[in-house]
Amino acid sequence: MSSVAVLTQESFAEHRSGLVPQQIKVATLNSEEESDPPTYKDAFPPLPEKSACLESAQEPAGAWNNKIRPIKASVITQVFHVPLEERKYKDMNQFGEGEQAKICLEIMQRTGAHLELSLAKDQGLSIMVSGKLDAVMKARKDIVARLQTQASATVPIPKEHHRFVIGKNGEKLQDLELKTATKIQIPRPDDPSNQIKITGTKEGIEKARHEVLLISAEQDKRAVERLEVEKAFHPFIAGPYNRLVGEIMQETGTRINIPPPSVSRTEIVFTGEKEQLAQAVARIKKIYEEKKKKTTTIAVEVKKSQHKYVIGPKGNSLQEILERTGVSVEIPPSDSTSETVILRGEPEKLGQALTEVYAKANSFTVSSVSAPSWLHRFIIGKKGQNLAKITQQMPKVHIEFTEGEDKITLEGPTEDVNVAQEQIESMVKDLINRMDYVEINIDHRFHRHLIGKSGANINRIKDQYKVSVRIPPDSEKSNLIRIEGDPQGVQQAKRELLELASRMENERTKDLIIEQRFHRTIIGQKGERIREIRDKFPEVIINFPDPAQKSDIVQLRGPKNEVEKCTKYMQKMVADLVENSYSISVPIFKQFHKNIIGKGGANIKKIREESNTKIDLPAENSNSETIVITGKRANCEAARSRILSIQKDLANIAEVEVSIPAKLHNSLIGTKGRLIRSIMEECGGVHIHFPVEGSGSDTVVIRGPSSDVEKAKKQLLHLAEEKQTKSFTVDIRAKPEYHKFLIGKGGGKIRKVRDSTGARIIFPAAEDKDQDLITIIGKEDAVREAQRELEALIQNLDNVVEDYMLVDPKHHRHFVIRRGQVLREIAEEYGGVMVSFPRSGTQSDKVTLKGAKDCVEAAKKRIQEIIEDLEAQVTVECAIPQKFHRSVMGPKGSRIQQITRDYNVQIKFPDREETPAHGMEHTIQENGDEASEGREADPGSPRRCDIITISGRKEKCEAAKEALEALVPVTIEVEVPFDLHRYIIGQKGSGIRKMMDEFEVNIHVPAPELQSDVIAITGLAANLDRAKAGLLERVKELQAEQEDRALRSFKLNVTVDPKYHPKIIGRKGAVITQIRLEHDVNIQFPDKDDGSQPQDQITITGYEKNTEAARDAILKIVGELEQMVSEDVPLDHRVHARIIGARGKAIRKIMDEFKVDIRFPQSGAPDPNCVTVTGLPENVEEAIDHILNLEEEYLADVVDSEALQVYMKPPVHEEAKAPSKGFVVRDAPWASSSEKAPDMSSSEEFPSFGAQVAPKTLPWGPKR
């Protein structure tokens, strides 16, 4: 591939400046004379001839050799060739386009290399890649993988050689892949295969295969051998400090691995070239045999504590003995109790080794120095400085300080220990003479105040008196403070600490009662608010209790006056918080919560902002209906009334006010609201709202559905009457499991007691703490009678009996299935009675019941009823078409579950049957079967997939069947004009979805292409009438809207000269927007680009009277505009900018002030001084006068400024430079021939690098 050099006049000048000065003829130009231009050969030296390069590299071949300094480039260029048969993309028509070009762009972006593609004559692809070496290599790999067709090959090499191909951390494999531009896959260690797969180009695969086989061949030369040698002889083979084995390894080039002393293995492993390995094994065998013959052993006893001295640091002492005497010393393991040391070596050397062992053992000694434990830290010094002086002199001495003991232990060589002991003893003596300590008692409550914020107080005392003060941690609750240091400093520190403590004792401590719920608010986010209070009262210490303590006491401590001021300040803050934390609870029916929140929380946000309150709604999955409002009382009341009004608007909620004397309110509510809650639950969950305590109001509000409100009103008034005449209350206790039995099924038993006695009986709610308490309220005699009846029932329940009954084993499964659900229900209903059925597998029919006598009897009766039901169980079939099954089931099967519970039956739906494909109705005959059987079936009989099975008592099955049939949806048709269908459906189906949810039906709108007016409504018969009425009501609304739309569509055209249109529109459409909003119309101006439209017609759309009013408004503006005049004023262009001002601010002010329009000339206008002023005649005159005055004022400044600029300009050369002739050379090739000189301005003669050049047009067409 060829490259093109670009040479401009500037680059040529730079090139010349880099040549050797002696070899350049410099052309010097001056004002009078000009020397001859350089010759063509001097300016453009010829390239060296091939022969010259071959003959002698030392001789200069042309001027280029000496004149240009070589530059070492960091950018390299490589060319890759992809033959036609290996090209992935061979579409000749789209070269430079399509997938190939995209891939090249991706490679360039990913690697940072530059790619250039070209097609060779053989249609092969040449790719030139330029960039840094690593970028080029990566790009090359990508090119091969993505532009060249891939081949693959496998190379089998021994499994143990695979790791050498991978290399350390996979580096060798990566390097190999980059070098060969291939992908090499090596099987995992657990894969038995020895095949290495190589993917890439044929050339790359060959290279990679060769490299892999080379690595394997190198490893084939290596061998591994293991030699068993007794552990005791390993030290002799290794030699002192492993020197001997190191020499063998170096000489033979074999790697020898001797297991360390701590490992109990005896084999020595050799790795290396086979011949050299054999030499190493032979030498080690020889050493082992010799030592085995010559050596003997002796055993000596050495104290266990001295073993470490014999071993030495990192085993150095043992190596030292081995080096000096050739004897190996075997020490028992540290976890062994043995004190026997074995010496192994030649007999004559054992004596010397034994002496050395004893010398090493006795070379170290242990000593101790008496020193009071409080002095230890002074002996050690700050960051161990004092001790470091001793340890640096005697590094072998180990000094140990034991906490709480008055001694220091020293361990090390005897001489060094003695020296260190003397130094420490002298240090201790000196410290005792000049140091002192004192202990003082200060109440631990004051310790943190003595320390101060971030230790400020105590650090000051320490620095000032050069002492150490030790204050015990809070957890110890100790009063003892210890001061150590210089005797004088200790006394001064003691005096100051006692003074501080006495001052604290004289300070005032005040407990402020603040409800815990306000603590976090007073402290503020990240303690901001409490920091402000502390800064205001710096002498007062404010302590809040731990949140876990649930305490309301905040402690203030400090000077009396400051504590009083701080108390008043905090009490005022709390009063404000209390005022803003008034809270009321509003019970709102759960289904209306979403309406109160509004779309995206819009409603609730508006109420919060306008009432300035905090409104908390219960969680969506919570059963609570209460909304809590917090804030100022008046604001809370306003928010409450707004929320209640939303509920009232949404539902048929009745609200009744009942007058009950305020003194009875608490007794009616009951303990923790138990009494009033029981009335609310009995009456369908109505809401009963009592006035705030202390308000004096007698009005009680009952809210809910009308029938329930009336029922609650009666009960409340009856209860109030009872309370007024004579109210009596008694509490009795019964186990919670008895409550259901006492209440009876559907409340039957307790209702019987209430009716017979006239007393009111209240059972605890699930959230009450005391679950045993039953309250009886009413007249005394009625309460006493109810108490007697209940106590008798409870007493019977307390008498536990055990009984049994016989149940046929075939019915056992019914009671124990679903984890014994039936038994659990019996236990809950009958006072926790325990029912035990025999284990499965036994054929016993005896069932044991244990519990209260009455409960057991009732449970037996219930079990007997269940058995009778099971025995009397029949199966009834109910045929309902399969397409209605899902509708009958209801959402999540709720309707079926309800019927199952109500009628105590089991309902089973058939499996779904797929609809047969079109044209497959006829029965297919198989194996010669008669098809006639299928034809004999009654075509009117129901299909198997339509039959629902009901199991239970006959009468209940029949009732359940009727209930199921009542759930079958019915379809009715409603006539609705086709043009209204899309409005009924609504945006994205929202309208029709809302109606379907509201009326619980399915509404089917016909497809638009049918143009049908019939809408089908499908659902339960009970819901259809409501749905039809709702749909027709919606049709009426839409028809009314249609009529309104027709009235709004009235159009009126106004003819206005186009020159007035911009004025009618106004700046940024302000004028026209005002007219549109004021008259509720749409105003359309003609499109300037549409020549077919009349340009003077303005269209107004809206109600007729509104369009006329808008037309009058437009014509009024036009009338005003017609009265206007335009005048041209000559205004010096130099002052235009000053008059316009920054961003047109000044000119806008003038235009607003004089009610005129001022237009300045555009750049390039024939008269740059002509300014046009438009407006009413009198306003135009005033505006012109004003701007002419401004011109006069600003022009004076401009003239002064220009006069000053004359003196500031640099002097201009009188004579202009002669025009440049460009670059001229003599003796050029074109001077002596008919060729024309190259045109340096031509991009064809001198193209820029990488730019496309238009080919020369030749008479016979382009070159091929």
Side-chain angles (χ1 to χ4, degrees):
M1 294 184 74
S2 63
S3 62
V4 181
V6 181
L7 191 65
T8 62
Q9 290 186 6
E10 294 83 356
S11 62
F12 185 76
E14 285 172 20
H15 161 67
R16 289 189 45 161
S17 65
L19 302 178
V20 181
Q22 290 83 350
Q23 295 176 331
I24 301 170
K25 294 178 181 178
V26 181
T28 310
L29 300 173
N30 55 34
S31 56
E32 291 177 3
E33 61 184 14
E34 186 180 325
S35 65
D36 291 338
T39 64
Y40 181 80
K41 278 191 179 180
D42 286 340
F44 300 101
L47 287 167
E49 294 292 329
K50 244 184 195 177
S51 56
C53 296
L54 294 168
E55 280 169 20
S56 172
Q58 294 172 352
E59 282 183 27
W64 291 92
N65 289 36
N66 297 331
K67 293 179 184 177
I68 298 176
R69 291 171 303 208
I71 300 168
K72 196 173 181 181
S74 62
V75 174
I76 67 157
T77 301
Q78 285 191 15
V79 178
F80 308 116
H81 188 72
V82 181
L84 174 66
E85 61 274 11
E86 290 183 23
R87 278 180 60 192
K88 226 181 212 181
Y89 305 98
K90 298 179 184 175
D91 190 350
M92 309 301 173
N93 300 324
Q94 289 191 328
F95 183 70
E97 297 175 25
E99 199 62 32
Q100 190 169 263
K102 281 183 194 171
I103 289 168
C104 287
L105 275 171
E106 282 174 30
I107 295 170
M108 285 163 73
Q109 285 167 0
R110 206 173 69 77
T111 62
H114 178 72
L115 271 65
E116 284 185 23
L117 278 73
S118 65
L119 272 177
K121 284 181 182 177
D122 61 355
Q123 296 302 320
L125 190 67
S126 291
I127 304 156
M128 185 170 81
V129 187
S130 308
K132 293 194 175 175
L133 181 62
D134 58 340
V136 170
M137 295 308 283
K138 284 177 185 172
R140 178 191 169 197
K141 190 181 172 187
D142 278 5
I143 287 164
V144 167
R146 299 181 69 181
L147 295 181
Q148 204 162 352
T149 51
Q150 302 290 292
S152 66
T154 54
V155 186
I157 65 166
K159 188 82 178 169
E160 58 269 20
H161 296 176
H162 285 193
R163 62 194 183 92
F164 299 105
V165 176
I166 296 166
K168 192 178 180 183
N169 298 326
E171 285 172 8
K172 193 158 190 176
L173 182 65
Q174 286 173 13
D175 188 42
L176 197 57
E177 284 184 334
L178 267 178
K179 208 158 75 178
T180 60
T182 55
K183 174 73 183 165
I184 301 171
Q185 289 172 290
I186 293 173
R188 294 173 62 83
D190 51 3
D191 187 344
S193 170
N194 65 350
Q195 300 280 345
I196 292 176
K197 188 180 178 183
I198 307 168
T199 310
T201 61
K202 289 177 185 175
E203 186 189 348
I205 290 170
E206 285 305 316
K207 282 183 185 175
R209 193 169 178 279
H210 174 70
E211 292 290 337
V212 168
L213 290 171
L214 267 180
I215 293 165
S216 180
E218 277 176 28
Q219 298 308 316
D220 274 337
K221 294 176 186 174
R222 301 178 69 80
V224 177
E225 192 169 327
R226 289 174 171 79
L227 181 66
E228 288 287 336
V229 174
E230 285 177 53
K231 189 80 180 169
F233 294 95
H234 284 191
F236 299 114
I237 290 163
Y241 303 104
N242 290 326
R243 282 184 201 139
L244 182 57
V245 77
E247 283 172 19
I248 296 169
M249 282 163 71
Q250 200 170 356
E251 286 171 20
T252 61
T254 305
R255 189 176 166 194
I256 304 169
N257 184 14
I258 300 173
S262 56
V263 177
S264 58
R265 280 168 51 208
T266 57
E267 65 175 20
I268 296 172
V269 182
F270 300 80
T271 313
E273 301 273 340
K274 288 177 183 174
E275 293 174 12
Q276 295 166 332
L277 185 140
Q279 290 176 21
V281 171
R283 284 182 66 176
I284 282 175
K285 271 186 181 174
K286 188 181 176 186
I287 294 165
Y288 173 45
E289 295 300 333
E290 277 180 16
K291 291 294 176 185
K292 208 170 179 183
K293 284 178 190 173
K294 291 183 181 178
T295 58
T296 183
T297 60
I298 58 165
V300 293
E301 296 295 314
V302 177
K303 284 182 185 177
K304 191 79 180 171
S305 60
Q306 292 178 323
H307 285 192
K308 58 183 177 181
Y309 306 133
V310 175
I311 295 166
K314 296 179 182 176
N316 280 348
S317 297
L318 293 177
Q319 295 295 332
E320 206 177 301
I321 294 167
L322 182 63
E323 187 178 26
R324 286 183 190 166
T325 64
V327 173
S328 164
V329 181
E330 295 165 26
I331 307 285
S334 56
D335 54 356
S336 163
T337 54
S338 170
E339 294 189 338
T340 306
V341 174
I342 297 167
L343 282 77
R344 187 184 302 273
E346 293 173 13
E348 62 274 15
K349 292 181 181 176
L350 285 173
Q352 185 190 346
L354 185 60
T355 309
E356 290 215 16
V357 166
Y358 279 121
K360 296 282 182 194
N362 297 319
S363 63
F364 281 75
T365 186
V366 178
S367 180
S368 64
V369 177
S370 294
S373 59
W374 67 273
L375 283 177
H376 287 186
R377 40 204 222 86
F378 296 105
I379 294 165
I380 294 165
K382 195 173 183 182
K383 293 182 182 177
Q385 285 176 348
N386 296 348
L387 207 61
K389 291 174 187 173
I390 298 169
T391 53
Q392 280 168 7
Q393 289 174 11
M394 288 150 284
K396 293 182 181 177
V397 176
H398 174 67
I399 303 168
E400 192 177 334
F401 294 83
T402 311
E403 196 176 341
E405 288 187 17
D406 293 341
K407 68 170 185 176
I408 301 165
T409 308
L410 291 87
E411 187 180 333
T414 312
E415 290 177 10
D416 289 356
V417 167
N418 292 336
V419 175
Q421 188 174 347
E422 282 176 21
Q423 287 185 14
I424 289 170
E425 281 174 350
S426 66
M427 201 185 287
V428 170
K429 195 174 179 182
D430 175 55
L431 286 169
I432 289 169
N433 290 336
R434 63 184 180 80
M435 298 288 276
D436 194 8
Y437 77 92
V438 70
E439 289 178 344
I440 55 174
N441 273 302
I442 294 174
D443 195 323
H444 70 272
R445 290 177 301 144
F446 304 142
H447 288 186
R448 53 197 292 234
H449 307 305
L450 293 176
I451 293 165
K453 193 176 180 182
S454 304
N457 287 353
I458 206 73
N459 287 338
R460 180 184 56 77
I461 291 168
K462 283 178 180 177
D463 295 342
Q464 191 174 338
Y465 303 118
K466 303 286 185 280
V467 292
S468 169
V469 183
R470 303 188 74 187
I471 297 174
D474 286 347
S475 55
E476 288 183 18
K477 306 284 184 191
S478 169
N479 296 340
L480 201 67
I481 294 176
R482 186 183 177 96
I483 310 167
E484 300 166 353
D486 177 66
Q488 191 179 349
V490 166
Q491 291 305 317
Q492 288 173 327
K494 175 186 172 183
R495 198 179 306 117
E496 184 164 342
L497 285 172
L498 289 171
E499 278 175 17
L500 281 170
S502 65
R503 202 185 309 153
M504 283 175 198
E505 282 171 356
N506 297 328
E507 282 178 346
R508 169 91 188 273
T509 301
K510 187 167 184 176
D511 289 343
L512 197 59
I513 306 298
I514 298 172
E515 283 183 66
Q516 196 185 29
R517 64 193 173 112
F518 297 131
H519 290 188
R520 284 182 69 180
T521 315
I522 292 167
I523 292 164
Q525 197 174 11
K526 295 181 181 176
E528 287 172 3
R529 292 184 74 173
I530 197 67
R531 207 176 294 122
E532 284 174 23
I533 299 169
R534 282 178 176 148
D535 292 344
K536 204 175 181 91
F537 306 100
E539 294 180 63
V540 179
I541 295 156
I542 305 166
N543 287 326
F544 283 86
D546 191 317
Q549 293 175 357
K550 306 283 184 191
S551 171
D552 294 340
I553 298 168
V554 177
Q555 197 177 70
L556 308 182
R557 183 179 181 82
K560 187 176 177 181
N561 293 342
E562 288 298 305
V563 167
E564 287 301 325
K565 284 179 191 173
C566 187
T567 303
K568 284 178 184 174
Y569 182 82
M570 287 185 78
Q571 281 172 339
K572 185 177 180 298
M573 184 187 276
V574 172
D576 291 343
L577 288 172
V578 169
E579 188 185 354
N580 287 317
S581 63
Y582 176 78
S583 179
I584 53 172
S585 298
V586 188
I588 297 290
F589 293 103
K590 192 81 179 176
Q591 65 263 36
F592 302 129
H593 283 201
K594 60 182 179 186
N595 304 94
I596 286 159
I597 293 166
K599 192 174 181 182
N603 291 355
I604 200 76
K605 191 177 179 184
K606 191 178 179 186
I607 297 168
R608 280 173 180 153
E609 286 172 359
E610 290 179 7
S611 63
N612 194 23
T613 55
K614 182 187 174 193
I615 302 171
D616 294 316
L617 286 97
E620 203 172 332
N621 53 2
S622 159
N623 294 323
S624 171
E625 295 185 332
T626 307
I627 295 173
V628 180
I629 308 169
T630 312
K632 289 189 176 177
R633 186 167 180 167
N635 296 349
C636 289
E637 292 292 344
R640 178 173 169 270
S641 61
R642 284 188 66 170
I643 288 170
L644 288 172
S645 69
I646 292 172
Q647 179 181 248
K648 201 170 182 182
D649 294 344
L650 288 167
N652 183 23
I653 302 296
E655 192 176 286
V656 173
E657 291 185 354
V658 185
S659 186
I660 296 171
K663 62 182 179 180
L664 296 175
H665 289 185
N666 281 346
S667 59
L668 289 174
I669 291 166
T671 314
K672 293 185 179 175
R674 287 176 67 205
L675 190 51
I676 201 69
R677 195 163 54 241
S678 72
I679 294 172
M680 284 157 70
E681 284 169 6
E682 263 182 57
C683 301
V686 295
H687 295 149
I688 301 174
H689 179 70
F690 283 82
V692 180
E693 196 175 352
S695 65
S697 172
D698 295 343
T699 307
V700 177
V701 180
I702 308 170
R703 196 181 295 107
S706 306
S707 56
D708 294 338
V709 165
E710 283 304 315
K711 191 177 172 185
K713 181 182 175 182
K714 281 178 188 173
Q715 285 207 26
L716 200 60
L717 288 171
H718 177 67
L719 194 61
E721 196 181 324
E722 278 185 8
K723 292 278 182 189
Q724 269 183 312
T725 52
K726 193 174 184 186
S727 181
F728 187 73
T729 306
V730 164
D731 290 339
I732 60 170
R733 292 187 171 273
K735 291 177 184 175
E737 55 264 32
Y738 294 164
H739 291 187
K740 273 198 174 181
F741 184 73
L742 293 172
I743 293 165
K745 195 169 186 180
K749 281 189 181 179
I750 208 69
R751 200 181 298 115
K752 194 176 173 184
V753 176
R754 280 178 185 162
D755 294 344
S756 64
T757 62
R760 184 173 192 81
I761 301 159
I762 300 164
F763 284 84
E767 59 267 19
D768 288 342
K769 283 185 181 175
D770 196 343
Q771 289 289 308
D772 293 355
L773 196 69
I774 300 169
T775 307
I776 310 168
I777 299 168
K779 292 180 182 177
E780 189 174 356
D781 55 344
V783 168
R784 293 292 181 201
E785 192 181 337
Q787 183 184 3
R788 273 195 300 277
E789 285 190 32
L790 281 174
E791 281 176 345
L793 285 169
I794 292 163
Q795 195 173 354
N796 288 343
L797 292 172
D798 284 336
N799 297 329
V800 177
V801 296
E802 190 170 319
D803 202 352
Y804 71 91
M805 65 185 292
L806 301 175
V807 177
D808 194 320
K810 69 180 179 182
H811 299 311
H812 289 192
R813 188 172 177 277
H814 175 78
F815 290 93
V816 296
I817 58 169
R818 295 195 300 278
R819 297 184 181 178
Q821 188 179 339
V822 176
L823 293 179
R824 277 204 306 277
E825 286 170 4
I826 291 168
E828 281 177 17
E829 199 170 333
Y830 301 104
V833 69
M834 286 172 63
V835 183
S836 302
F837 275 77
R839 285 188 179 178
S840 60
T842 59
Q843 288 303 308
S844 172
D845 57 358
K846 187 178 177 182
V847 175
T848 309
L849 296 92
K850 188 176 182 181
K853 190 176 180 183
D854 289 355
C855 294
V856 167
E857 287 303 320
K860 279 172 75 177
K861 193 177 174 184
R862 175 71 187 126
I863 291 169
Q864 199 60 48
E865 282 174 12
I866 293 168
I867 291 164
E868 284 171 17
D869 282 351
L870 291 169
E871 285 176 346
Q873 199 171 65
V874 295
T875 300
V876 174
E877 289 183 349
C878 176
I880 293 173
Q882 186 181 4
K883 63 181 178 179
F884 297 130
H885 287 189
R886 187 172 288 179
S887 176
V888 168
M889 286 179 187
K892 295 181 181 175
S894 57
R895 290 174 183 165
I896 286 300
Q897 287 166 14
Q898 188 63 44
I899 293 171
T900 307
R901 280 197 296 271
D902 291 349
Y903 299 103
N904 194 22
V905 293
Q906 289 181 347
I907 300 170
K908 188 183 178 189
F909 280 79
D911 293 333
R912 285 185 69 79
E913 187 178 280
E914 295 299 325
T915 308
H918 183 66
M920 296 291 287
E921 294 91 350
H922 301 295
T923 311
I924 298 167
Q925 278 182 275
E926 286 185 13
N927 303 333
D929 289 348
E930 289 292 326
S932 59
E933 282 182 41
R935 285 197 292 272
E936 281 171 16
D938 181 10
S941 65
R943 296 181 304 160
R944 196 165 54 247
C945 62
D946 295 340
I947 294 169
I948 299 168
T949 311
I950 308 167
S951 304
R953 279 183 174 269
K954 189 176 180 182
E955 62 276 9
K956 290 193 175 176
C957 286
E958 290 299 333
K961 183 180 177 181
E962 285 176 23
L964 276 176
E965 285 170 345
L967 291 175
V968 175
V970 182
T971 302
I972 60 167
E973 292 181 345
V974 184
E975 288 275 342
V976 176
F978 173 72
D979 58 333
L980 296 180
H981 287 192
R982 61 197 184 98
Y983 301 112
I984 286 166
I985 293 167
Q987 194 175 16
K988 293 183 180 175
S990 59
I992 203 158
R993 208 160 37 242
K994 187 183 175 188
M995 288 173 76
M996 283 158 68
D997 292 344
E998 191 178 340
F999 302 117
E1000 294 181 17
V1001 293
N1002 183 39
I1003 300 172
H1004 176 70
V1005 180
E1009 56 268 18
L1010 298 175
Q1011 299 277 314
S1012 172
D1013 290 344
V1014 177
I1015 288 179
I1017 306 173
T1018 306
L1020 302 182
N1023 298 338
L1024 288 178
D1025 290 338
R1026 279 193 316 120
K1028 183 178 178 180
L1031 183 59
L1032 291 172
E1033 185 63 37
R1034 177 69 181 137
V1035 168
K1036 279 182 189 174
E1037 286 175 18
L1038 290 170
Q1039 284 172 340
E1041 282 176 22
Q1042 258 188 343
E1043 287 171 17
D1044 185 57
R1045 263 199 303 277
L1047 290 171
R1048 285 180 67 95
S1049 302
F1050 180 77
K1051 285 190 177 181
L1052 185 66
N1053 288 330
V1054 186
T1055 305
V1056 176
D1057 194 323
K1059 68 179 180 183
Y1060 298 132
H1061 289 189
K1063 290 291 177 187
I1064 294 167
I1065 293 167
R1067 190 161 178 269
K1068 292 185 180 176
V1071 177
I1072 204 68
T1073 304
Q1074 181 66 30
I1075 296 169
R1076 279 175 181 149
L1077 294 172
E1078 201 173 313
H1079 301 288
D1080 189 23
V1081 292
N1082 182 31
I1083 301 169
Q1084 195 73 32
F1085 284 83
D1087 188 354
K1088 288 179 184 177
D1089 300 329
D1090 190 353
S1092 62
Q1093 282 187 2
Q1095 293 296 304
D1096 59 351
Q1097 293 293 311
I1098 296 172
T1099 307
I1100 308 169
T1101 311
Y1103 292 117
E1104 189 175 353
K1105 61 177 182 181
N1106 291 2
T1107 57
E1108 287 170 357
R1111 177 195 63 193
D1112 295 343
I1114 289 170
L1115 290 174
K1116 187 184 175 186
I1117 293 168
V1118 171
E1120 288 174 2
L1121 290 170
E1122 283 174 343
Q1123 292 175 17
M1124 289 183 181
V1125 295
S1126 284
E1127 281 194 34
D1128 291 341
V1129 187
L1131 202 68
D1132 197 306
H1133 68 274
R1134 291 174 293 174
V1135 298
H1136 286 191
R1138 288 282 298 274
I1139 290 169
I1140 292 166
R1143 294 183 181 176
K1145 201 180 280 184
I1147 199 68
R1148 266 201 305 277
K1149 191 178 176 186
I1150 296 167
M1151 283 156 69
D1152 292 343
E1153 188 182 337
F1154 296 101
K1155 294 184 175 57
V1156 293
D1157 182 53
I1158 301 170
R1159 298 281 171 189
F1160 285 83
Q1162 290 183 345
S1163 58
D1167 185 359
N1169 299 328
C1170 182
V1171 175
T1172 307
V1173 184
T1174 308
L1176 294 172
E1178 59 273 19
N1179 293 350
V1180 168
E1181 284 177 20
E1182 287 177 19
I1184 288 170
D1185 289 343
H1186 181 71
I1187 59 175
L1188 287 172
N1189 289 337
L1190 287 175
E1191 179 198 26
E1192 195 177 329
E1193 185 186 326
Y1194 295 154
L1195 208 52
D1197 294 345
V1198 170
V1199 171
D1200 291 347
S1201 171
E1202 285 179 352
L1204 192 64
Q1205 286 293 324
V1206 172
Y1207 296 103
M1208 295 177 72
K1209 276 187 180 176
V1212 181
H1213 292 293
E1214 288 177 15
E1215 289 179 10
K1217 280 186 180 178
S1220 172
K1221 290 182 182 179
F1223 182 70
V1224 183
V1225 291
R1226 291 181 292 117
D1227 304 333
W1230 54 82
S1232 59
S1233 68
S1234 58
E1235 282 186 37
K1236 193 175 71 169
D1239 179 9
M1240 289 178 70
S1241 63
S1242 164
S1243 61
E1244 199 175 308
E1245 298 280 355
F1246 292 92
S1248 51
F1249 190 61
Q1252 289 185 343
V1253 180
K1256 286 185 180 179
T1257 320
L1258 300 172
W1260 49 86
K1263 284 183 182 178
R1264 294 193 181 275

